[in-house]
Amino acid sequence: MVRRTKADAEATRCTILNAAEQLFYEQGVSRTTLEKIARAAGVTRGAIYWHFTDKADLFNAMLERIRLPFRQMLSELDHSTETDPFLRIRDVMIRSLEIVGQSEQHRRVLTIVFHRCEYIDELNPAVRQQEHLNNEVHDTMQRAFSRAAQAGLLNPAITPALAASALNAYLGGLIAKYLLHPEQCDLANHAAELIDGLLLGLKKPD
């Protein structure tokens, strides 16, 4: 009986998150109220408050559903023993773009983050979480580029911090562009070429 109750609670939580994700995507975050989410999910507002503290908590839970594969890849990059760090950086970045290009859920949630989210006070906790992830990405890349520099592979005119900033900004720009104009920036099929184009300029010339 307890096991079935837990399963029911998890199913309700998932239904609420799915409804919120769809409404955030269609209407934007600030125009989506908890009342609208409750109606779309077929639950009461009380059910939402049982699972989530407020809209910011719900928003952050929605983000967490797509963050796991990216965090796993960052961990792989941080613990890589590859003699050429550029190869591991390339692999992780290509896989990241391919996930966005191939996963409808990732595209929907990232569209919300990039293009449907007004950074207003009620979402500050969720925004801070997103900034924390961005900092994780930058710091992990910087450590990887530091290893590349130690191996004599990074362009000596570029510091590891600058290389990490450039790659992070490039990825963000590619994703933002793709979400608005996928026909101009095919991440699913051209991720390797898009990443190689930038890494070529960061590597030390032969």
Side-chain angles (χ1 to χ4, degrees), residues 2 18-19 24 26 29 31 38 54 74 79 82 93 100 110 114 119 142 145 147 179 194-195 202:
V2 173
N18 289 341
F24 288 155
E26 293 173 354
V29 176
R31 294 177 58 194
D54 50 25
L74 288 177
H79 295 91
E82 183 75 57
M93 295 304 102
V100 178
L110 289 172
F114 278 85
Y119 291 95
Q142 183 170 335
F145 281 121
R147 293 193 296 273
L179 295 172
L194 290 166
I195 292 299
L202 296 176

Side-chain angles (χ1 to χ4, degrees), residues 101-114:
Q102 295 168 2
S103 167
E104 184 177 344
Q105 183 181 37
H106 280 74
R107 288 196 299 275
R108 187 164 51 243
V109 174
L110 289 172
T111 296
I112 293 166
V113 172
F114 278 85

Side-chain angles (χ1 to χ4, degrees), residues 40-84:
V43 301
T44 64
R45 283 189 59 172
I48 292 180
Y49 283 117
W50 176 263
H51 293 279
F52 307 100
T53 305
D54 50 25
K55 189 163 78 170
D57 186 34
L58 197 163
F59 182 86
N60 194 53
M62 177 197 70
L63 291 179
E64 278 299 319
R65 297 204 296 182
I66 70 162
R67 284 173 175 159
L68 182 58
F70 296 117
R71 283 208 163 102
Q72 288 176 334
M73 284 187 284
L74 288 177
S75 179
E76 290 176 18
L77 181 56
D78 229 8
H79 295 91
S80 172
T81 57
E82 183 75 57
T83 55
D84 183 349

